[in-house]
Amino acid sequence: MNSILVVQGSPRGERSHSRRLTETFMQAWQGANPQSRSTRREVGRTVLPAVNEAFIAAAFYPEPQARPLTMQADLALSDALVAELQAHDRLVISAPMHNFGVPSGVKAWVDQIVRIGVTFNHSLDNGVSQYEPLVSGKKALIVTSRGDFGFGPGGQLEAMNHADTWLRAVLGFIGINDVTVIAAEGEESAEHSFARSYAEAEQRLLALARTF
């Protein structure tokens, strides 16, 4: 049975373009996969805690199986988010570009799920760091909206895109390399050009839903 985890990153509600595009995709995907299950994780309109010193101390505790109860509590949310990710074979991250990057809630979610010994391993080979991804068998879709044109591959603003490009790097680091990005671009004030880009993104998502 297919399963999909949707991480909703926009702080906007019904006016969010990335949310509406994601819901269009999910309706089509669930229609094509009637026996599937889905989970939604809200990180845009709820506050995930930022990583702090207690989290770092617990995550890097030298004997993970013997962590004190206080450290286990410090990692409880992270453990739950990692288990949620591992329990699904597909991942959708819905996130607009904010100031050339991802919204803070998406960054907080990433910081909670990228864990040494849990979603990646680290070792030294003759003093050179070696990283091993520990997440396998998953594919991901990033649904995003951007406030101008040209942030995609080959675009004139590509170098300023630190949103879905960063997410690709993070997902690849933990082992999710099958990643599709679908974006709607343009200023809302440029009504016609944005509407055209949004419609194109919507059609791509509807087509993808049949095979994702």
Side-chain angles (χ1 to χ4, degrees):
M1 180 175 66
N2 293 337
S3 59
I4 195 164
L5 171 64
V6 181
V7 177
Q8 284 282 15
S10 175
R12 299 171 90 188
E14 306 249 336
R15 295 188 305 125
S16 166
H17 302 303
S18 57
R19 278 183 189 274
R20 287 190 287 109
L21 285 169
T22 300
E23 290 310 310
T24 294
F25 172 80
M26 285 302 298
Q27 288 177 19
W29 185 83
Q30 288 169 323
N33 299 272
Q35 303 303 314
S36 64
R37 64 183 178 89
S38 63
T39 302
R40 282 169 172 75
R41 170 61 62 174
E42 180 62 58
V43 302
R45 294 174 69 81
T46 60
V47 178
L48 286 185
V51 164
N52 56 21
E53 185 175 3
F55 177 101
I56 294 168
F60 285 88
Y61 192 71
E63 298 179 47
Q65 304 307 316
R67 283 190 184 98
L69 290 177
T70 52
M71 285 190 170
Q72 293 178 38
D74 291 327
L75 294 176
L77 174 60
S78 174
D79 288 341
L81 293 175
V82 170
E84 186 175 69
L85 173 64
Q86 294 282 29
H88 298 78
D89 54 22
R90 287 155 175 77
L91 170 66
V92 175
I93 300 178
S94 176
M97 176 186 284
H98 279 186
N99 297 320
F100 312 111
V102 296
S104 59
V106 177
K107 176 62 165 63
W109 178 80
V110 166
D111 289 343
Q112 293 284 343
I113 60 105
V114 177
R115 287 255 311 273
I116 190 167
V118 179
T119 53
F120 77 95
N121 266 335
H122 172 263
S123 61
L124 289 175
D125 182 5
N126 292 323
V128 178
S129 289
Q130 304 291 324
Y131 295 97
E132 176 192 5
L134 298 179
V135 179
S136 61
K138 304 185 190 303
K139 58 182 175 179
L141 166 65
I142 298 169
V143 182
T144 187
S145 55
R146 307 165 181 149
D148 201 351
F149 290 96
F151 287 104
Q156 61 182 1
L157 300 177
E158 179 183 8
M160 301 176 76
N161 180 354
H162 304 290
D164 54 87
T165 54
W166 175 77
L167 284 170
R168 272 187 183 276
V170 167
L171 294 175
F173 182 73
I174 63 173
I176 305 175
N177 294 296
D178 186 348
V179 182
T180 301
V181 177
I182 295 182
E185 287 196 327
E187 296 284 350
E188 289 176 317
S189 56
E191 211 171 311
H192 298 299
S193 55
F194 176 76
R196 185 166 55 252
S197 177
Y198 185 96
E200 289 171 359
E202 196 171 45
Q203 289 306 306
R204 289 183 63 199
L205 287 167
L206 290 172
L208 179 66
R210 295 192 291 269
T211 59
F212 187 72

